[in-house]
């Protein structure tokens, strides 16, 4: 396997902090994201390289192995176990063996060490044929809230391969799913690793999501708030016409049952939509309007 310099890909030094790694990755991810560079193979390659570099360097354990073993870092645990076993076996073999000065002096130096380590060398050669499972990969998928209101299909490109998957409605922000055997390829015929895909869902300008419930602020003009009336509002499932009760106060909360967000992997089950009314006072009043409001104020004072 060819050595890949992950530090060079992210444009950071090997001494970079976790914060610097995260910042460099996000900058490159935004720059080369496929949605911003459609049909751009070079940008797609850069995006893939940045994801791979971040996957390794943002994980303290993986970074430590990468710094120590370079291109073989994915198999660091297997290598260490094999070395430990070899050391133990060698110590057991040599526990009762002593070399005299005559034996040492009469031996060719290289032959002597070949004798000592021939089993270890043989074991090392056999390790080259050991099947190793591929590395697990981690990727992020950036979506809007409306993207996950309905289940839909999407094609991702990971390690040069296209993966078509179904994104279920109702997935949560930062939720991670496992896609089996779509990680890095194994070594010597070993199985592929898995792909862990994390969803990053952007905030919606109108609706705030809390679990399967949605919250939104709806403006009411003063006259509808006082006298009542009808109001048409937007939901993620289309427009809904409402009746507003007379004398509705600012801050009043109204629940629309079943008009919230779909519940993850529960077909045809939805949370609720909560409306918070905000009464908006009229501005730029005419002199006549001011006089009428003055009359109303006097009537209210008189009534008290």
């Amino acid at each position: 396997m060819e050595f890949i310099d992950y530090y060079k890909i992210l444009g950071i030094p090997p001494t970079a902090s976790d914060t610097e790694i995260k910042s460099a990755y996000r900058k490159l991810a935004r720059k080369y994201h496929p949605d911003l560079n459609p049909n751009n193979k070079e940008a797609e390659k850069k995006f893939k390289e940045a994801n791979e570099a971040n996957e390794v360097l943002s994980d303290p354990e993986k970074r430590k192995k990468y710094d120590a073993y370079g291109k073989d870092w994915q198999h660091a645990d297997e290598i260490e176990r094999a070395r430990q076993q070899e050391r133990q076996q060698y110590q057991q073999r040599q526990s009762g063996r002593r070399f005299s000065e005559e034996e040492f002096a009469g031996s060719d130096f290289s032959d002597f060490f070949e004798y000592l380590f021939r089993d270890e060398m043989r074991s090392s050669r056999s390790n080259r044929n050991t099947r190793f499972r591929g590395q697990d990969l981690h990727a992020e998928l950036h979506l809007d809230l409306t993207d996950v209101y309905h289940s839909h299909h999407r094609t991702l490109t990971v390690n040069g391969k296209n993966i078509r998957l179904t994104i279920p409605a109702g997935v949560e922000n930062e939720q991670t799913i496992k896609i089996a055997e779509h990680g890095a390829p194994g070594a010597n015929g070993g199985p592929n690793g898995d792909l862990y895909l994390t969803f990053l869902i952007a905030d919606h300008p109108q609706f705030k999501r809390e679990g399967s419930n949605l919250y939104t602020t709806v403006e009411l003009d003063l006259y509808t708030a006082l006298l009542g009336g009808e109001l048409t509002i937007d939901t993620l499932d289309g427009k809904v016409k409402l009746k507003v009760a007379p004398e509705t106060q600012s801050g009043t909360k109204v629940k629309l049952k079943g008009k919230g967000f779909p519940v993850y992997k529960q077909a045809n089950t939805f949370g609720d939509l909560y409306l918070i009314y905000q009464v908006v006072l009229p501005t730029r009043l005419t002199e006549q309007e001011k006089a009428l409001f003055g009359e109303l104020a006097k009537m209210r004072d008189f009534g008290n």
Side-chain angles (χ1 to χ4, degrees):
M1 180 185 297
E2 182 182 355
F3 174 70
I4 303 175
D5 190 338
Y6 293 139
Y7 292 105
K8 184 177 180 181
I9 288 173
L10 295 183
I12 55 176
T15 56
S17 66
D18 293 342
T19 300
E20 290 171 325
I21 291 171
K22 183 177 181 180
S23 176
Y25 164 68
R26 291 196 177 278
K27 181 178 178 181
L28 291 177
R30 285 193 297 268
K31 181 177 180 181
Y32 295 113
H33 197 282
D35 289 347
L36 301 178
N37 300 274
N39 302 318
N40 187 329
K41 296 296 183 182
E42 184 62 23
E44 181 180 312
K45 178 183 176 183
K46 296 284 188 183
F47 184 73
K48 171 190 165 186
E49 290 175 346
N51 273 326
E52 184 176 333
N54 179 66
E55 155 68 20
V56 176
L57 299 184
S58 63
D59 185 306
E61 284 299 318
K62 291 180 181 178
R63 184 181 182 183
K64 181 179 178 181
K65 293 174 184 178
Y66 173 78
D67 290 341
Y69 292 95
K71 66 182 180 64
D72 296 320
W73 74 269
Q74 298 177 31
H75 310 302
D77 292 339
E78 292 91 338
I79 293 172
E80 281 300 317
R81 283 196 294 269
R83 287 180 176 176
Q84 182 64 24
Q85 290 174 356
E86 290 167 4
R87 282 193 291 268
Q88 292 173 350
Q89 292 171 1
Y90 170 73
Q91 290 171 356
Q92 291 172 357
R93 290 195 303 269
Q94 301 303 323
S95 60
R97 179 77 167 100
R98 298 288 182 183
F99 287 91
S100 67
E101 293 183 6
E102 292 78 7
E103 286 177 305
F104 184 84
S107 302
D108 179 81
F109 194 73
S110 61
D111 291 342
F112 175 73
F113 276 93
E114 182 180 351
Y115 170 78
L116 283 179
F117 296 106
R118 64 176 181 266
D119 289 337
E120 187 171 354
M121 293 166 62
R122 187 181 304 116
S123 178
S124 297
R125 285 193 295 270
S126 67
N127 284 334
R128 297 193 191 105
N129 297 321
T130 301
R131 298 175 61 188
F132 294 112
R133 181 179 178 275
Q135 172 201 2
D136 289 336
L137 297 181
H138 294 259
E140 296 178 349
L141 181 58
H142 295 258
L143 299 168
D144 293 327
L145 191 65
T146 53
D147 291 331
V148 291
Y149 186 78
H150 299 284
S151 297
H152 67 284
H153 298 289
R154 186 165 293 215
T155 300
L156 306 179
T157 302
V158 179
N159 277 349
K161 296 181 180 179
N162 290 333
I163 304 172
R164 183 172 172 82
L165 71 154
T166 299
I167 300 177
V171 295
E172 294 278 355
N173 182 43
E174 297 187 348
Q175 180 177 342
T176 299
I177 63 172
K178 182 178 80 170
I179 306 174
E181 297 186 0
H182 280 82
N188 299 326
N192 292 348
D194 299 323
L195 171 64
Y196 290 87
L197 183 63
T198 299
F199 299 102
L200 297 180
I201 303 172
D203 292 334
H204 194 276
Q206 184 177 355
F207 298 99
K208 179 182 178 183
R209 179 185 180 188
E210 292 184 5
S212 59
N213 293 327
L214 293 175
Y215 296 81
T216 187
T217 298
V218 176
E219 292 186 347
L220 279 182
D221 64 81
L222 177 63
Y223 311 105
T224 303
L226 288 172
L227 304 175
E230 289 190 342
L231 185 69
T232 300
I233 65 163
D234 292 319
T235 73
L236 290 181
D237 194 36
K239 294 185 180 296
V240 173
K241 184 175 289 188
L242 302 174
K243 287 187 176 180
V244 179
E247 301 180 8
T248 295
Q249 302 294 312
S250 191
T252 297
K253 183 185 290 186
V254 176
K255 180 174 77 172
L256 301 186
K257 188 172 179 60
K259 290 297 182 179
F261 214 71
V263 179
Y264 181 64
K265 289 194 173 180
Q266 294 186 29
N268 301 318
T269 304
F270 293 80
D272 302 321
L273 171 61
Y274 291 89
L275 313 178
I276 296 91
Y277 287 131
Q278 181 179 351
V279 178
V280 180
L281 299 179
T283 58
R284 297 190 298 273
L285 297 177
T286 66
E287 292 302 321
Q288 183 180 5
E289 287 174 324
K290 291 178 182 178
L292 289 172
F293 276 113
E295 290 297 323
L296 287 173
K298 292 177 182 178
M299 291 173 63
R300 295 292 292 182
D301 288 342
F302 180 79
N304 292 332

